[in-house]
């Protein structure tokens, strides 16, 4: 793994089971607990949690629809990631637990061995295949798909495949003789909407789970996206389109590194679905729980569905670096090439790969995140679809109408977060000579501190002032503050740190913990003339 420490799988799915929350991150492989003399060894606790979580999600215990990935940004239930974690920990399961995991990971053609009843109960019809994709289905029972739907699914998936390959992405890894022996990408149509799922991908690759990290995948999509199960926000074909694009991108990702950080897996898959089917805009729903609405939550967080809304960061980047191949911006592809965990590849972790690609664009990840944080205060103006799709505006930390008295604030910011304060000139500040002096007392810059002071004029202009901090994090900035010409001034404080202690069972990039969380950031402001 390119001289990096051995990674430990991270359980990113948190689900309610028997009225208890299973929320522990996956740990290093642990020895099963000893049982009574003569008894079979018990399953490892983390592996058992992964099994119960996956069972719960595929049973439909979540009360919202989920696209293998959740269809509600408030859902923790992600079948694709839950199954990924189960695969990683399966060897720690014993006895009945191991058998349950094998059944859970079986393809629908495994039949009734699947305890979640996702398996076909009748022999499958002859799969319908293109040069790259095979669609598997049955013609009867509740899992049945009509010939017209099968053909639409094949055409959609083949188009998705061709788009990704045409954009320079690696094809999904072949699965050899599994899935009918075609060595093509296998997609199974099944009635999974009754469990609240749009689709999911997983792997039954028999390769030992160690580096290199490329794995084959197969995916399961719903057999009809019936309105009775999925509502009428989108048509059945639109649901098929965005789910196919999202889940197939997971299969592409697995050909690079199926153990990559969860937030990068889901954020870029959610970004991809909108790039391929821009008119559907299904991913806009995730912005309700995203860096736009939760700027104080680390952007690379892996829980609670937050990573779906983080697609907006990649939208921000690709709108600013729009160079494209095959109709798709190349920036996300280049990030996956840096995250590539195959033999001889860079095998960088998520934020490291982002930082490397941005350095090649003559900027830094910290500068890009700072610009992103400030731009999120004006999403209608700073995103191509921000106005049309009503992107939410990043929340303010505080707002105050300021007279001549001094304003002081202190905040603790964790990595990849921000806080914006709005200062509005009071009625006494009508003289055009009034200015605002902003004194910044932030954490040292090596800890990720940065700041932008933005002036909104009464004429509608927006003037961004990127503050050049001293190494100790201090700086002074003077800007106009007369009520005659200034509507408001916003001070955005940022912790753009990308420093981690990696592979310590953390919930962030590189399954690590940030070295720079809860940094104290202070500033004061006073009007004068």
């Amino acid at each position: 793994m390119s001289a990096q420490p051995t990674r430990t799988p991270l359980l990113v799915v948190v689900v309610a089971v028997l009225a208890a929350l299973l929320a522990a991150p996956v740990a290093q492989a642990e020895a099963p607990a000893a049982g009574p003399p003569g008894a079979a060894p018990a399953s490892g606790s983390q592996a058992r949690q992964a099994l119960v979580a996956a069972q719960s999600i595929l049973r439909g215990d979540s009360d919202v629809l989920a696209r293998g990935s959740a269809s509600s940004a408030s859902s923790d239930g992600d079948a694709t990631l839950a199954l990924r974690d189960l695969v990683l920990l399966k060897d720690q399961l014993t006895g009945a637990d191991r058998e349950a995991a094998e059944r859970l990971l079986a393809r629908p053609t495994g039949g009734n061995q699947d305890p979640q009843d996702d398996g076909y109960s009748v022999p499958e019809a002859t799969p319908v295949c293109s040069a790259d994709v095979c669609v598997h289905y049955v013609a009867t029972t509740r899992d049945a798909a009509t010939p017209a739907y099968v053909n639409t699914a094949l055409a959609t998936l083949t188009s998705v495949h061709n788009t990704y390959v045409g954009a320079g992405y690696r094809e999904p890894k072949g699965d050899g003789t599994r899935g009918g022996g075609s060595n093509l990408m296998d997609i199974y149509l099944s009635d999974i909407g009754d469990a609240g799922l749009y689709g999911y991908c997983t792997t039954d690759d028999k390769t030992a789970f160690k580096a290199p990290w490329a794995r084959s995948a197969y995916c399961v999509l719903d057999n009809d996206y019936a309105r009775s199960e999925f509502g009428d926000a989108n048509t059945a074909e639109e649901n098929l389109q965005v789910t196919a694009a999202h889940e197939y991108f997971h299969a592409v990702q697995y050909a690079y590194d199926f153990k990559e950080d969860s937030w990068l897996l889901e954020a870029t898959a959610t970004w991809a679905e909108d790039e391929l089917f821009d008119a559907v805009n299904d991913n806009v729903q995730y912005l309700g729980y995203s860096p736009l609405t939760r700027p104080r939550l680390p952007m690379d967080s892996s829980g609670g569905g937050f990573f779906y809304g983080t697609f907006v960061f990649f939208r921000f980047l690709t709108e600013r670096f729009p160079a494209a191949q095959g109709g798709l911006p190349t920036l996300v592809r280049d990030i996956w090439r840096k995250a590539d965990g195959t033999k001889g590849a860079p095998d960088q972790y998520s934020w490291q790969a982002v930082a490397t690609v941005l350095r090649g664009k003559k900027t830094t990840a910290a500068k890009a995140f700072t610009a992103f944080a400030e731009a999120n205060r004006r999403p209608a103006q700073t995103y191509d679809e921000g106005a049309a799709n009503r992107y939410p505006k990043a929340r303010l930390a505080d707002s105050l109408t300021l007279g001549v008295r001094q304003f002081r604030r202190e905040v603790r910011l964790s990595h990849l977060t921000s806080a914006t304060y709005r200062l509005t000139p009071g009625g006494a500040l009508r003289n055009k000579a009034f200015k605002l002096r902003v004194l910044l007392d932030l954490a040292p810059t090596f800890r990720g501190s940065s700041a932008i002071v933005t002036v909104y004029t009464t004429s509608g202009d927006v003037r961004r002032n990127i503050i050049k901090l001293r190494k100790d994090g201090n700086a002074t900035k003077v800007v106009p503050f007369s009520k005659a010409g200034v509507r408001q001034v916003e001070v955005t404080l940022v912790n753009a740190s990308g420093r981690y202690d990696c592979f310590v069972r953390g919930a962030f990039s590189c399954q690590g913990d940030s070295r720079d969380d809860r940094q104290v950031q202070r500033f004061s402001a006073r009007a004068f003339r």
Side-chain angles (χ1 to χ4, degrees):
M1 281 196 53
S2 305
Q4 295 186 20
T6 301
R7 283 186 280 184
T8 60
L10 174 66
L11 179 61
V12 297
V13 183
V14 184
V15 291
V17 180
L18 301 177
L21 288 176
L22 297 175
V26 173
Q28 295 268 12
E30 57 184 89
S43 298
S45 61
Q46 302 292 342
R48 180 82 175 96
Q49 289 175 353
L51 172 62
V52 175
Q55 288 174 324
S56 176
I57 292 167
L58 293 185
R59 271 198 307 266
D61 287 354
S62 177
D63 60 359
V64 293
L65 290 173
R67 187 187 302 123
S69 31
S71 179
S72 167
S74 64
S75 172
D76 288 319
D78 186 299
T80 295
L81 295 180
L83 291 171
R84 190 275 301 266
D85 290 335
L86 179 60
V87 167
L88 288 168
L89 293 166
K90 184 179 65 174
D91 288 346
Q92 297 178 36
L93 296 171
T94 62
D97 287 344
R98 178 63 178 264
E99 293 176 3
E102 296 288 2
R103 292 195 300 271
L104 200 64
L105 294 166
R107 300 185 183 215
T109 45
N112 291 330
Q113 66 171 314
D114 186 346
Q116 311 311 325
D117 200 25
D118 284 343
Y120 296 153
S121 58
V122 296
E124 69 168 321
T126 301
V128 178
C129 303
S130 64
D132 302 292
V133 180
C134 275
V135 175
H136 300 256
Y137 71 103
V138 293
T140 61
T141 73
R142 67 181 181 85
D143 293 314
T146 66
Y149 183 83
V150 172
N151 289 333
T152 298
L154 179 64
T156 300
L157 288 156
T158 300
S159 175
V160 167
H161 173 95
N162 291 338
T163 299
Y164 289 147
V165 173
Y169 286 95
R170 184 174 294 159
E171 295 188 29
K173 186 174 180 285
D175 61 1
T177 59
R178 296 184 299 281
S182 66
N183 201 36
L184 301 179
M185 180 64 195
D186 293 302
I187 308 293
Y188 297 84
L189 304 180
S190 180
D191 182 22
I192 58 175
D194 64 345
L197 297 171
Y198 280 79
Y200 59 85
C201 289
T202 190
T203 181
D204 56 0
D205 199 318
K206 301 303 181 183
T207 306
F209 289 109
K210 59 183 181 180
W213 299 110
R215 297 294 182 272
S216 63
Y218 71 87
C219 301
V220 180
L221 305 183
D222 192 69
N223 63 326
D224 57 9
Y225 293 103
R227 179 178 296 182
S228 60
E229 292 177 333
F230 295 89
D232 56 8
N234 299 320
T235 67
E237 185 172 2
E238 288 172 338
N239 283 328
L240 171 64
Q241 288 171 339
V242 293
T243 306
H246 184 113
E247 296 304 332
Y248 206 93
F249 200 70
H250 282 318
V252 170
Q253 293 166 340
Y254 279 23
Y256 290 92
D257 187 348
F258 92 117
K259 283 189 67 178
E260 188 48 74
D261 293 321
S262 302
W263 79 272
L264 185 66
L265 289 167
E266 287 300 341
T268 56
T270 306
W271 167 86
E273 69 180 65
D274 192 59
E275 292 293 322
L276 268 66
F277 297 102
D278 184 52
V280 180
N281 295 316
D282 188 68
N283 62 350
V284 172
Q285 66 181 304
Y286 302 123
L287 295 178
Y289 186 49
S290 74
L292 293 182
T293 57
R294 299 290 192 277
R296 299 277 293 278
L297 186 62
M299 190 182 69
D300 59 345
S301 298
S302 291
F306 189 74
F307 37 41
Y308 306 123
T310 300
F311 87 86
V312 74
F313 177 67
F314 295 98
R315 168 58 62 85
F316 176 83
L317 293 180
T318 54
E319 287 186 2
R320 278 140 192 84
F321 301 103
Q325 177 182 332
L328 293 181
T330 57
L331 184 138
V332 171
R333 180 204 66 193
D334 293 344
I335 290 170
W336 275 101
R337 287 179 175 178
K338 294 300 181 184
D340 186 357
T342 59
K343 186 175 181 179
D347 196 20
Q348 296 181 349
Y349 65 81
S350 54
W351 191 248
Q352 184 182 27
V354 170
T356 299
V357 170
L358 289 175
R359 280 198 300 272
K361 304 291 185 184
K362 309 302 181 185
T363 187
T364 67
K367 288 179 180 178
F369 181 78
T370 300
F372 169 71
E374 191 274 338
N376 288 343
R377 287 290 302 142
R378 301 180 307 283
Q381 290 75 44
T382 54
Y383 291 94
D384 289 347
E385 297 181 348
N389 289 333
R390 299 181 180 180
Y391 281 18
K393 185 183 296 186
R395 295 178 179 178
L396 289 169
D398 201 357
S399 179
L400 180 74
T401 298
L402 190 64
V404 294
R405 65 187 179 88
Q406 190 174 40
F407 174 88
R408 291 189 179 91
R409 284 295 182 271
E410 175 181 306
V411 64
R412 288 185 178 270
L413 291 180
S414 293
H415 73 288
L416 300 182
T417 66
S418 64
T420 298
Y421 297 84
R422 176 192 290 167
L423 305 175
T424 302
L429 307 183
R430 297 185 180 278
N431 191 300
K432 292 183 179 180
F434 273 108
K435 298 182 183 301
L436 183 71
R437 179 180 289 111
V438 179
L439 302 178
L440 297 166
D441 179 13
L442 309 184
T445 55
F446 79 88
R447 292 192 174 277
S449 297
S450 60
I452 296 181
V453 176
T454 308
V455 179
Y456 293 80
T457 70
T458 54
S459 64
D461 291 340
V462 178
R463 301 170 185 170
R464 298 168 64 252
N465 299 274
I466 300 172
I467 308 303
K468 186 175 182 179
L469 300 173
R470 298 196 298 269
K471 289 183 179 181
D472 61 3
N474 293 347
T476 300
K477 182 65 180 179
V478 175
V479 296
F481 201 59
S482 166
K483 192 172 182 65
V486 174
R487 182 160 53 90
Q488 64 200 39
V489 171
E490 292 189 349
V491 180
T492 299
L493 309 180
V494 179
N495 180 342
S497 173
R499 304 192 317 146
Y500 300 90
D501 291 320
C502 288
F503 314 122
V504 295
R505 310 175 192 176
F508 305 112
S509 294
C510 69
Q511 298 171 28
D513 290 330
S514 173
R515 298 179 184 177
D516 301 306
D517 276 352
R518 294 187 56 77
Q519 293 298 305
V520 176
Q521 315 283 35
R522 302 183 183 92
F523 85 99
S524 63
R526 184 188 291 275
F528 73 98
R529 61 174 177 173

